[in-house]
Amino acid sequence: MVGNEPRHLLVLPFKLKLASLPRNQLPSCTHALLNILLFPKSKNRFFSIADTDSEVSLVLEESCLSLFGEDASSLLQHSDQTWRAIKYDEGELGFEATGIVSSITQPLAKAKVPIYYLSTYTTDYFLVEDIELSKTIDVLSGSGFKFSEAAQEDGQDAKPMPPTPVAMIAQSPPHNNRPEGGAKSQLLITKLPYQLYMSRMRRENFEKVACELIRMIFYSTMEKRFFSLTETPDEISLIFDHDCVSVLEGAGVSLETCKMSWRALQICEGANWSNESGLLSKFSQPLAEASISIFNFSTYHTDYTLVEDHNLDLSLDKLSDKLEIVLDEE
């Protein structure tokens, strides 16, 4: 459980865009995505790709948008606003840490700051629109967080950041098309049927398994799945099924894999969910109170919360105690 001591957040320098394309249009964007995966402009970068049942969701540096040709660009939905990534900078959290998502999203929900949340094997990241960065720093500094700003160049130390004046309120994030009104909020949760595993590998091992990862991303025959690859300056973090773990380990790459299997709950909103941080706050708080570990993963159109397989029923019970939920099982 998150304690009362100061917690540290690190503002990363990357200027990011959120994007999405339909799964059946992935071949049209293969050339651009291969360029991003295999020929990064810098080893120090932030990139995420998630292949779900309904979309291929991307977080990429805004300079990468130029890699998509005219035809591919017409298929790609992307945010107009530029986003900034903030790292929960408290070392490796472990899989038993609880309350982190709630501690971040609650104050931002009250301030109506939309966020995009990415948990990785080691720690958590959340994205806010660039025009909301000053407001985010101000709000979370008032909630006990201390901010530093990551250096642009490798090898330089992070710089402390003082609280800054509140910025103007930003527009809603791209997946925040939520109707308002109605007497009571309702949350639709889809329980995905497959077991997932979390792994990480050292960045220098990427070339050894590049072919296998490309097959997983571009040549999967599964109609329904959850696969994600998130590359940060610290690691490459993966969420995938057991078959993918076996393929990479069979290629001779040493993976750190959580032994526990996880289940994904897809969060679909009803009325009155005013912003993304509000949605995640209301969803994560009952689980934090029950000391249930979660990983959260936003995509362009929706959100997923992962809980340990053995905690799945308990998680749903705790959510039902606090929220009006409608459960859909695939």
Side-chain angles (χ1 to χ4, degrees), residues 148-173:
S148 298
E149 184 175 16
Q152 293 282 349
E153 300 296 332
D154 295 337
Q156 296 183 0
D157 294 331
K159 299 181 298 182
M161 294 179 66
T164 52
V166 174
M168 60 186 293
I169 295 178
Q171 299 175 3
S172 299

PDB file of all heavy atoms in Angstrom, residues 148-173:
ATOM      1  N   SER A 148      10.552  15.693 -10.520  1.00  0.00           N
ATOM      2  CA  SER A 148      11.827  15.993 -11.162  1.00  0.00           C
ATOM      3  C   SER A 148      11.601  15.946 -12.659  1.00  0.00           C
ATOM      4  O   SER A 148      10.628  15.345 -13.138  1.00  0.00           O
ATOM      5  CB  SER A 148      12.908  14.986 -10.765  1.00  0.00           C
ATOM      6  OG  SER A 148      13.153  15.028  -9.380  1.00  0.00           O
ATOM      7  N   GLU A 149      12.502  16.584 -13.382  1.00  0.00           N
ATOM      8  CA  GLU A 149      12.412  16.592 -14.840  1.00  0.00           C
ATOM      9  C   GLU A 149      13.604  15.847 -15.409  1.00  0.00           C
ATOM     10  O   GLU A 149      14.755  16.144 -15.083  1.00  0.00           O
ATOM     11  CB  GLU A 149      12.390  18.019 -15.381  1.00  0.00           C
ATOM     12  CG  GLU A 149      12.200  18.078 -16.899  1.00  0.00           C
ATOM     13  CD  GLU A 149      12.071  19.507 -17.385  1.00  0.00           C
ATOM     14  OE1 GLU A 149      12.426  20.420 -16.618  1.00  0.00           O
ATOM     15  OE2 GLU A 149      11.634  19.705 -18.531  1.00  0.00           O
ATOM     16  N   ALA A 150      13.330  14.825 -16.250  1.00  0.00           N
ATOM     17  CA  ALA A 150      14.399  14.041 -16.844  1.00  0.00           C
ATOM     18  C   ALA A 150      15.208  14.894 -17.805  1.00  0.00           C
ATOM     19  O   ALA A 150      14.671  15.743 -18.519  1.00  0.00           O
ATOM     20  CB  ALA A 150      13.824  12.825 -17.577  1.00  0.00           C
ATOM     21  N   ALA A 151      16.519  14.664 -17.835  1.00  0.00           N
ATOM     22  CA  ALA A 151      17.394  15.394 -18.760  1.00  0.00           C
ATOM     23  C   ALA A 151      17.162  14.930 -20.178  1.00  0.00           C
ATOM     24  O   ALA A 151      16.767  13.791 -20.432  1.00  0.00           O
ATOM     25  CB  ALA A 151      18.853  15.187 -18.371  1.00  0.00           C
ATOM     26  N   GLN A 152      17.416  15.805 -21.128  1.00  0.00           N
ATOM     27  CA  GLN A 152      17.258  15.465 -22.542  1.00  0.00           C
ATOM     28  C   GLN A 152      18.330  14.483 -23.001  1.00  0.00           C
ATOM     29  O   GLN A 152      18.093  13.653 -23.855  1.00  0.00           O
ATOM     30  CB  GLN A 152      17.346  16.736 -23.392  1.00  0.00           C
ATOM     31  CG  GLN A 152      16.210  17.704 -23.189  1.00  0.00           C
ATOM     32  CD  GLN A 152      14.937  17.290 -23.904  1.00  0.00           C
ATOM     33  OE1 GLN A 152      14.950  16.379 -24.724  1.00  0.00           O
ATOM     34  NE2 GLN A 152      13.840  17.942 -23.586  1.00  0.00           N
ATOM     35  N   GLU A 153      19.533  14.580 -22.441  1.00  0.00           N
ATOM     36  CA  GLU A 153      20.648  13.760 -22.893  1.00  0.00           C
ATOM     37  C   GLU A 153      20.925  12.650 -21.897  1.00  0.00           C
ATOM     38  O   GLU A 153      20.756  12.805 -20.690  1.00  0.00           O
ATOM     39  CB  GLU A 153      21.914  14.624 -23.050  1.00  0.00           C
ATOM     40  CG  GLU A 153      21.760  15.744 -24.055  1.00  0.00           C
ATOM     41  CD  GLU A 153      21.532  15.248 -25.472  1.00  0.00           C
ATOM     42  OE1 GLU A 153      21.997  14.139 -25.779  1.00  0.00           O
ATOM     43  OE2 GLU A 153      20.897  15.962 -26.253  1.00  0.00           O
ATOM     44  N   ASP A 154      21.377  11.471 -22.404  1.00  0.00           N
ATOM     45  CA  ASP A 154      21.743  10.366 -21.550  1.00  0.00           C
ATOM     46  C   ASP A 154      22.903  10.772 -20.646  1.00  0.00           C
ATOM     47  O   ASP A 154      23.794  11.516 -21.032  1.00  0.00           O
ATOM     48  CB  ASP A 154      22.163   9.147 -22.379  1.00  0.00           C
ATOM     49  CG  ASP A 154      21.001   8.594 -23.186  1.00  0.00           C
ATOM     50  OD1 ASP A 154      19.861   8.847 -22.787  1.00  0.00           O
ATOM     51  OD2 ASP A 154      21.263   7.908 -24.196  1.00  0.00           O
ATOM     52  N   GLY A 155      22.881  10.237 -19.421  1.00  0.00           N
ATOM     53  CA  GLY A 155      23.994  10.456 -18.519  1.00  0.00           C
ATOM     54  C   GLY A 155      23.854  11.689 -17.654  1.00  0.00           C
ATOM     55  O   GLY A 155      24.667  11.924 -16.780  1.00  0.00           O
ATOM     56  N   GLN A 156      22.845  12.518 -17.890  1.00  0.00           N
ATOM     57  CA  GLN A 156      22.627  13.689 -17.057  1.00  0.00           C
ATOM     58  C   GLN A 156      21.608  13.369 -15.973  1.00  0.00           C
ATOM     59  O   GLN A 156      20.716  12.552 -16.159  1.00  0.00           O
ATOM     60  CB  GLN A 156      22.137  14.870 -17.901  1.00  0.00           C
ATOM     61  CG  GLN A 156      23.154  15.349 -18.925  1.00  0.00           C
ATOM     62  CD  GLN A 156      22.634  16.556 -19.683  1.00  0.00           C
ATOM     63  OE1 GLN A 156      21.539  17.020 -19.444  1.00  0.00           O
ATOM     64  NE2 GLN A 156      23.446  17.050 -20.602  1.00  0.00           N
ATOM     65  N   ASP A 157      21.753  13.997 -14.835  1.00  0.00           N
ATOM     66  CA  ASP A 157      20.850  13.743 -13.732  1.00  0.00           C
ATOM     67  C   ASP A 157      19.532  14.484 -13.921  1.00  0.00           C
ATOM     68  O   ASP A 157      19.459  15.498 -14.613  1.00  0.00           O
ATOM     69  CB  ASP A 157      21.486  14.182 -12.412  1.00  0.00           C
ATOM     70  CG  ASP A 157      22.700  13.335 -12.060  1.00  0.00           C
ATOM     71  OD1 ASP A 157      22.726  12.161 -12.462  1.00  0.00           O
ATOM     72  OD2 ASP A 157      23.613  13.869 -11.388  1.00  0.00           O
ATOM     73  N   ALA A 158      18.493  13.951 -13.277  1.00  0.00           N
ATOM     74  CA  ALA A 158      17.202  14.623 -13.303  1.00  0.00           C
ATOM     75  C   ALA A 158      17.259  15.900 -12.484  1.00  0.00           C
ATOM     76  O   ALA A 158      18.003  16.018 -11.512  1.00  0.00           O
ATOM     77  CB  ALA A 158      16.130  13.692 -12.744  1.00  0.00           C
ATOM     78  N   LYS A 159      16.458  16.899 -12.866  1.00  0.00           N
ATOM     79  CA  LYS A 159      16.424  18.182 -12.187  1.00  0.00           C
ATOM     80  C   LYS A 159      15.134  18.306 -11.390  1.00  0.00           C
ATOM     81  O   LYS A 159      14.044  17.990 -11.897  1.00  0.00           O
ATOM     82  CB  LYS A 159      16.497  19.323 -13.207  1.00  0.00           C
ATOM     83  CG  LYS A 159      17.765  19.334 -14.044  1.00  0.00           C
ATOM     84  CD  LYS A 159      17.763  20.506 -15.010  1.00  0.00           C
ATOM     85  CE  LYS A 159      16.612  20.430 -15.987  1.00  0.00           C
ATOM     86  NZ  LYS A 159      16.638  21.543 -16.960  1.00  0.00           N
ATOM     87  N   PRO A 160      15.212  18.778 -10.119  1.00  0.00           N
ATOM     88  CA  PRO A 160      13.984  19.009  -9.351  1.00  0.00           C
ATOM     89  C   PRO A 160      13.114  20.058 -10.040  1.00  0.00           C
ATOM     90  O   PRO A 160      13.612  20.981 -10.671  1.00  0.00           O
ATOM     91  CB  PRO A 160      14.492  19.512  -7.995  1.00  0.00           C
ATOM     92  CG  PRO A 160      15.934  19.118  -7.945  1.00  0.00           C
ATOM     93  CD  PRO A 160      16.413  19.121  -9.369  1.00  0.00           C
ATOM     94  N   MET A 161      11.798  19.907  -9.877  1.00  0.00           N
ATOM     95  CA  MET A 161      10.866  20.863 -10.467  1.00  0.00           C
ATOM     96  C   MET A 161       9.980  21.426  -9.369  1.00  0.00           C
ATOM     97  O   MET A 161       9.332  20.676  -8.645  1.00  0.00           O
ATOM     98  CB  MET A 161       9.986  20.194 -11.529  1.00  0.00           C
ATOM     99  CG  MET A 161      10.732  19.712 -12.746  1.00  0.00           C
ATOM    100  SD  MET A 161       9.627  18.906 -13.928  1.00  0.00           S
ATOM    101  CE  MET A 161       8.607  20.292 -14.436  1.00  0.00           C
ATOM    102  N   PRO A 162       9.898  22.731  -9.230  1.00  0.00           N
ATOM    103  CA  PRO A 162       8.977  23.317  -8.258  1.00  0.00           C
ATOM    104  C   PRO A 162       7.562  23.270  -8.795  1.00  0.00           C
ATOM    105  O   PRO A 162       7.344  23.159 -10.011  1.00  0.00           O
ATOM    106  CB  PRO A 162       9.461  24.770  -8.151  1.00  0.00           C
ATOM    107  CG  PRO A 162      10.059  25.040  -9.498  1.00  0.00           C
ATOM    108  CD  PRO A 162      10.676  23.745  -9.949  1.00  0.00           C
ATOM    109  N   PRO A 163       6.547  23.340  -7.937  1.00  0.00           N
ATOM    110  CA  PRO A 163       5.170  23.451  -8.416  1.00  0.00           C
ATOM    111  C   PRO A 163       5.023  24.678  -9.303  1.00  0.00           C
ATOM    112  O   PRO A 163       5.664  25.704  -9.079  1.00  0.00           O
ATOM    113  CB  PRO A 163       4.349  23.582  -7.124  1.00  0.00           C
ATOM    114  CG  PRO A 163       5.220  23.011  -6.054  1.00  0.00           C
ATOM    115  CD  PRO A 163       6.629  23.311  -6.482  1.00  0.00           C
ATOM    116  N   THR A 164       4.180  24.577 -10.306  1.00  0.00           N
ATOM    117  CA  THR A 164       3.995  25.675 -11.241  1.00  0.00           C
ATOM    118  C   THR A 164       2.543  26.112 -11.262  1.00  0.00           C
ATOM    119  O   THR A 164       1.658  25.409 -10.789  1.00  0.00           O
ATOM    120  CB  THR A 164       4.420  25.237 -12.655  1.00  0.00           C
ATOM    121  OG1 THR A 164       3.735  24.013 -12.967  1.00  0.00           O
ATOM    122  CG2 THR A 164       5.900  24.967 -12.717  1.00  0.00           C
ATOM    123  N   PRO A 165       2.245  27.271 -11.819  1.00  0.00           N
ATOM    124  CA  PRO A 165       0.868  27.743 -11.824  1.00  0.00           C
ATOM    125  C   PRO A 165      -0.061  26.809 -12.580  1.00  0.00           C
ATOM    126  O   PRO A 165       0.347  26.100 -13.497  1.00  0.00           O
ATOM    127  CB  PRO A 165       0.969  29.103 -12.538  1.00  0.00           C
ATOM    128  CG  PRO A 165       2.384  29.512 -12.358  1.00  0.00           C
ATOM    129  CD  PRO A 165       3.181  28.250 -12.362  1.00  0.00           C
ATOM    130  N   VAL A 166      -1.309  26.832 -12.186  1.00  0.00           N
ATOM    131  CA  VAL A 166      -2.309  25.979 -12.822  1.00  0.00           C
ATOM    132  C   VAL A 166      -2.514  26.411 -14.267  1.00  0.00           C
ATOM    133  O   VAL A 166      -2.648  27.590 -14.574  1.00  0.00           O
ATOM    134  CB  VAL A 166      -3.639  26.065 -12.046  1.00  0.00           C
ATOM    135  CG1 VAL A 166      -4.726  25.309 -12.776  1.00  0.00           C
ATOM    136  CG2 VAL A 166      -3.465  25.537 -10.632  1.00  0.00           C
ATOM    137  N   ALA A 167      -2.566  25.413 -15.168  1.00  0.00           N
ATOM    138  CA  ALA A 167      -2.755  25.706 -16.586  1.00  0.00           C
ATOM    139  C   ALA A 167      -4.236  25.651 -16.942  1.00  0.00           C
ATOM    140  O   ALA A 167      -5.083  25.263 -16.153  1.00  0.00           O
ATOM    141  CB  ALA A 167      -1.969  24.700 -17.431  1.00  0.00           C
ATOM    142  N   MET A 168      -4.517  26.018 -18.163  1.00  0.00           N
ATOM    143  CA  MET A 168      -5.891  25.968 -18.641  1.00  0.00           C
ATOM    144  C   MET A 168      -6.369  24.526 -18.740  1.00  0.00           C
ATOM    145  O   MET A 168      -5.591  23.605 -18.903  1.00  0.00           O
ATOM    146  CB  MET A 168      -5.986  26.625 -20.009  1.00  0.00           C
ATOM    147  CG  MET A 168      -5.123  25.963 -21.079  1.00  0.00           C
ATOM    148  SD  MET A 168      -5.105  26.821 -22.650  1.00  0.00           S
ATOM    149  CE  MET A 168      -6.791  26.575 -23.161  1.00  0.00           C
ATOM    150  N   ILE A 169      -7.666  24.314 -18.618  1.00  0.00           N
ATOM    151  CA  ILE A 169      -8.223  22.965 -18.696  1.00  0.00           C
ATOM    152  C   ILE A 169      -8.198  22.494 -20.141  1.00  0.00           C
ATOM    153  O   ILE A 169      -8.610  23.189 -21.058  1.00  0.00           O
ATOM    154  CB  ILE A 169      -9.669  22.958 -18.159  1.00  0.00           C
ATOM    155  CG1 ILE A 169      -9.655  23.299 -16.657  1.00  0.00           C
ATOM    156  CG2 ILE A 169     -10.338  21.629 -18.404  1.00  0.00           C
ATOM    157  CD1 ILE A 169     -11.017  23.374 -16.039  1.00  0.00           C
ATOM    158  N   ALA A 170      -7.719  21.245 -20.317  1.00  0.00           N
ATOM    159  CA  ALA A 170      -7.564  20.712 -21.673  1.00  0.00           C
ATOM    160  C   ALA A 170      -8.849  20.082 -22.161  1.00  0.00           C
ATOM    161  O   ALA A 170      -9.789  19.843 -21.405  1.00  0.00           O
ATOM    162  CB  ALA A 170      -6.450  19.677 -21.686  1.00  0.00           C
ATOM    163  N   GLN A 171      -8.852  19.780 -23.453  1.00  0.00           N
ATOM    164  CA  GLN A 171      -9.956  19.046 -24.027  1.00  0.00           C
ATOM    165  C   GLN A 171      -9.904  17.607 -23.542  1.00  0.00           C
ATOM    166  O   GLN A 171      -8.925  17.151 -22.982  1.00  0.00           O
ATOM    167  CB  GLN A 171      -9.867  19.077 -25.549  1.00  0.00           C
ATOM    168  CG  GLN A 171      -9.942  20.466 -26.136  1.00  0.00           C
ATOM    169  CD  GLN A 171      -9.722  20.446 -27.616  1.00  0.00           C
ATOM    170  OE1 GLN A 171      -9.574  19.403 -28.223  1.00  0.00           O
ATOM    171  NE2 GLN A 171      -9.692  21.616 -28.210  1.00  0.00           N
ATOM    172  N   SER A 172     -10.976  16.844 -23.776  1.00  0.00           N
ATOM    173  CA  SER A 172     -11.017  15.451 -23.373  1.00  0.00           C
ATOM    174  C   SER A 172     -10.059  14.625 -24.204  1.00  0.00           C
ATOM    175  O   SER A 172      -9.743  14.977 -25.335  1.00  0.00           O
ATOM    176  CB  SER A 172     -12.444  14.899 -23.558  1.00  0.00           C
ATOM    177  OG  SER A 172     -13.347  15.617 -22.758  1.00  0.00           O
ATOM    178  N   PRO A 173      -9.564  13.494 -23.648  1.00  0.00           N
ATOM    179  CA  PRO A 173      -8.693  12.626 -24.428  1.00  0.00           C
ATOM    180  C   PRO A 173      -9.463  11.963 -25.539  1.00  0.00           C
ATOM    181  O   PRO A 173     -10.700  11.978 -25.558  1.00  0.00           O
ATOM    182  CB  PRO A 173      -8.214  11.599 -23.387  1.00  0.00           C
ATOM    183  CG  PRO A 173      -9.285  11.579 -22.352  1.00  0.00           C
ATOM    184  CD  PRO A 173      -9.827  12.976 -22.302  1.00  0.00           C
TER     185      PRO A 173
END
